[in-house]
Amino acid sequence: MAYKITDDCVACGSCADECPNDAITAGDDKYSINADECLDCGSCADACPNDAIVEE
């Protein structure tokens, strides 16, 4: 099950820095996760200071 980034994202980039597969990209007002590239490792969720990343 892939992770997704909720509207609580403040676009700090912490998640993208931790993603081992570069599945996270910056959007206009929040980051997004490419579900096809997500390894389901949870590194991004652990790095998020706002708990804005949840399992889909």
Side-chain angles (χ1 to χ4, degrees), residues 15-33:
C15 58
D17 293 340
E18 292 299 317
C19 182
N21 208 35
D22 295 326
I24 301 174
T25 56
D28 290 336
D29 57 348
K30 70 177 186 175
Y31 278 64
S32 63
I33 300 173

Side-chain angles (χ1 to χ4, degrees), residues 3-51:
Y3 284 78
K4 70 175 182 175
I5 299 177
T6 68
D7 290 336
D8 293 331
C9 176
V10 296
C12 69
S14 295
C15 58
D17 293 340
E18 292 299 317
C19 182
N21 208 35
D22 295 326
I24 301 174
T25 56
D28 290 336
D29 57 348
K30 70 177 186 175
Y31 278 64
S32 63
I33 300 173
N34 180 331
D36 293 333
E37 295 178 7
C38 180
L39 299 174
D40 303 327
C41 68
S43 294
C44 57
D46 292 339
C48 182
N50 291 341
D51 296 324

